[in-house]
Amino acid sequence: MTLRLASIVEALGGELHGDASLLIEGLAPLESAHAGQLSFLSHPKYQHLLSASKAGCVIVSQQFQALAAARGACIVTDQPYLYYARVTQLWKQTLAVPSGPLIHPSAVIDPLARVHPSARIGPLCVVEAGAVVGARTVLKSRVTLGERCLVGERCIIHAGVVIGADGFGFAPNAGAWEKIEQLGAVRIGNDVEIGANTCIDRGALQDTVIEDGVKLDNLIQIGHNVHIGQHTAMAGCVGVAGTATIGAHCTVGGGAIVLGHLTLADGVHISAASVATRSIHKPGHYTGMFPLDDNAAWEKNAASLKQLASLRERIRALEAQRNQ
């Protein structure tokens, strides 16, 4: 499959410098692209790769137009990374439409479920009673959508996702555990994408809610009664404990944990591998981790950390004596 540069710019805009008839046969990074491929420069720290790149055309900002034009064709745009994203969408649209039925023969759909005629249900999926799948939503292979759970329009649910399993709820009873039945469901908005093998638990009483535009990576655990606001994104292996509320336009880095019953305001960004142990009511970037070190040094630093509370009290006592 090929696209002419002229066709790309006609569809997506941007300012083309170079041969409009050049055929593009694929997309690639700057360092590995060849003459038939389109690449992009989105961050100044990679500009050293630009002049040596063999890409047929490079998407750049105005800042790097002269450098890009000196080596060949370029498309100039205000947001090169966003433009690249839209090129990938254009490329996907030109690929052959998937053949076969919209609902794979191996899928199991309860008669009481509602699947929009334009939705696509992949191999070995299970859609239980009362569940709803919206227009143009795609369930890849082996997705399980539990009873009464709802997925909105234009969502992409990748392989192995489980939506609506029971949340982790048990009451202690004489040294054993008594199950708390999970009576809520999961409600997922429009334009949500959920990565492979992610699990979203149903609510205990009220529903677990994933609002419009949320993006979840692979292997994420969302506990019962969690509420995630619009356009929040989470990287792989994040864990969100039950009844946490996460605002809109947040990001959570890979492997980070949000403890239960906490609230993160809109616009909060949690670094990878951090643990949110308290509610955060002010937008901003937050990090909580102990730096990697060789083991002997780490043990010494960890031992020192244990003494911080007593050191603080000693300093307070010395300050009190000084002020007398």
Side-chain angles (χ1 to χ4, degrees), residues 244-291:
T245 299
I246 297 176
H249 302 282
C250 295
T251 59
V252 183
I257 296 172
V258 180
L259 298 186
H261 300 274
L262 300 185
T263 296
L264 304 187
D266 295 350
V268 167
H269 306 286
I270 305 295
S271 294
S274 295
V275 181
T277 59
R278 59 180 175 85
S279 292
I280 300 173
H281 301 293
K282 180 181 177 182
H285 189 177
Y286 296 83
T287 302
M289 64 182 70
F290 201 76

Side-chain angles (χ1 to χ4, degrees), residues 28-35 37-40 47-58 71-72:
L30 283 169
E31 62 269 30
S32 61
H34 59 68
Q37 293 179 311
L38 178 64
S39 190
F40 67 98
Q47 62 182 290
H48 66 281
L49 300 173
L50 180 57
S51 58
S53 177
K54 295 186 169 87
C57 180
V58 179
R71 54 153 302 284

